[in-house]
Amino acid sequence: DATLKIFSSTLSTETNTFSPMPTGKDDWDAVRPSDVEEEDGDEQGTVPLWSRLCKAQGFDFTWGLIAWAQPSGRTVQSVYEGFRDEILDALKAAMPVDIVLLDLHGAMVAQGCDDCEGDLLELVRTLIGPKAVIGVELDPHCHLTEKRVRLADVIILFKEYPHTDFVERAEELVPPPGDGDHAGIIADRLALQAALADLNADPAVARAVEELRAAGWRAWAGARTWRGKYTFCEKKSTKSIATECF
C-alpha cells in the first residue's frame, strides 16, 4: 500500500473586531521548516505533536508555516494574505497529499476578510481536490460557519476552558492504525457522505433544524469521519455551538 501523505500548518489568532488596534506582522510569531535544523522530540505544539504521531505510524508527514498571535484587533489584510499564501505555496510543494491537518483558531478576522479560516479552507480544497481529507482543530470561541463545515471533513473543538485538552483533541485528528492507504481515505470520504445523508434523513434531526430556523437560528447538520460520530452544528449571530450526537 502507498504511504499516507499528510501536510500540516498553523494560522491562529482570536480577533476582537471592536478593538481599534490592528494586528500587524510584528504582532505575529512564526516558525518555518527552514528555522528548524532538526525536530525536537520534546517540542510542544499541535504541528509537532501531529508530526510525532504520524511518523510513529509510518505516514509521510510534511509541514509549512506555524504562525500565531495574541488576541487583538483585525489582522492587516496584507499580513493575512502573506501568511495564507505561504501556507498554500508549501502545500503546493508537498502535493499530492491525502490529508491536510490545520491548527486554526476559528475567530480570525482580517481587514478585508470576515472569515479567514473559511477563505483558507476554500483555497486548500481547491488545491487538493474533493477526495483528499481536511481536518481542522478549532478553539471553542470560534465562529463555526457553514462554509467551514462544508469544506472540512473533520472539525474538532477544544472542550475545556482553560484549553488544557488541545493535545487530546489534536490526537483525534490523526487517522487511527489501518487507515494508512489511499483506499482507506476514499472509503472514509464515502462513509462521511453516507453519514451526512443518514443524518439529514433522520426525522428528529430534521425537526430540530427546522425548529431552530423558525426561531431565527442558522442551523445545519454535519458528520465527523474517522470514528463515525455525528456532529450537529448550530449558529446564531456570533455564538456557535457544536454538539456531538451519538
Side-chain angles (χ1 to χ4, degrees), residues 146-162:
E146 187 171 3
K147 184 177 186 179
R148 300 176 198 178
V149 173
R150 173 171 50 84
L151 291 167
D153 299 288
V154 194
I155 297 177
I156 300 291
L157 276 68
F158 310 148
K159 300 180 186 295
E160 303 292 339
Y161 184 83

Side-chain angles (χ1 to χ4, degrees), residues 13 105 114 125 183 209 226 228-229 237 239 242:
T13 188
H105 183 281
D114 288 339
R125 177 59 73 193
V209 169
W226 300 138
K229 297 177 182 177
S237 185
K239 297 179 180 178

Side-chain angles (χ1 to χ4, degrees), residues 2 4 39 49 57 67 119 132 146 150 167 174 195 197 210 212 220:
L4 200 63
E39 292 190 35
L49 170 69
Q57 295 196 47
D119 178 55
E146 187 171 3
R150 173 171 50 84
V167 169
V174 176
E210 288 305 316
L212 285 165
W220 62 93

Side-chain angles (χ1 to χ4, degrees), residues 59-239:
F59 300 151
D60 182 352
F61 184 90
T62 58
W63 60 282
L65 176 72
I66 299 175
W68 69 97
Q70 293 297 320
S72 188
R74 295 173 184 264
T75 295
V76 174
Q77 184 69 16
S78 61
V79 173
Y80 161 61
E81 291 178 353
F83 286 149
R84 178 199 67 189
D85 293 348
E86 186 174 343
I87 291 172
L88 295 173
D89 287 344
L91 175 57
K92 289 177 186 176
M95 291 287 287
V97 300
D98 302 295
I99 299 175
V100 175
L101 297 180
L102 296 172
D103 173 24
L104 309 174
H105 183 281
M108 180 180 178
V109 179
Q111 291 174 335
C113 182
D114 288 339
D115 184 4
C116 293
E117 288 85 357
D119 178 55
L120 176 61
L121 287 173
E122 186 170 47
L123 294 170
V124 167
R125 177 59 73 193
T126 299
L127 275 178
I128 66 176
K131 290 186 177 180
V133 171
I134 298 176
V136 182
E137 183 174 35
L138 296 176
D139 187 290
H141 301 119
C142 69
H143 306 300
L144 191 58
T145 65
E146 187 171 3
K147 184 177 186 179
R148 300 176 198 178
V149 173
R150 173 171 50 84
L151 291 167
D153 299 288
V154 194
I155 297 177
I156 300 291
L157 276 68
F158 310 148
K159 300 180 186 295
E160 303 292 339
Y161 184 83
H163 308 318
T164 57
D165 64 330
F166 77 94
V167 169
E168 289 83 356
R169 301 291 75 78
E171 288 175 342
E172 291 182 341
L173 283 168
V174 176
D179 284 342
D181 61 84
H182 298 296
I185 290 297
I186 294 172
D188 268 328
R189 292 280 296 172
L190 295 175
L192 176 64
Q193 294 170 9
L196 278 168
D198 290 344
L199 190 60
N200 282 287
D202 187 324
V205 172
R207 187 163 53 251
V209 169
E210 288 305 316
E211 289 175 353
L212 285 165
R213 288 176 177 173
W217 290 68
R218 294 180 62 236
W220 62 93
R224 194 173 87 180
T225 187
W226 300 138
R227 293 160 180 83
K229 297 177 182 177
Y230 291 143
T231 301
F232 181 70
C233 305
E234 59 198 47
K235 177 187 176 186
K236 184 177 183 181
S237 185
T238 59
K239 297 179 180 178

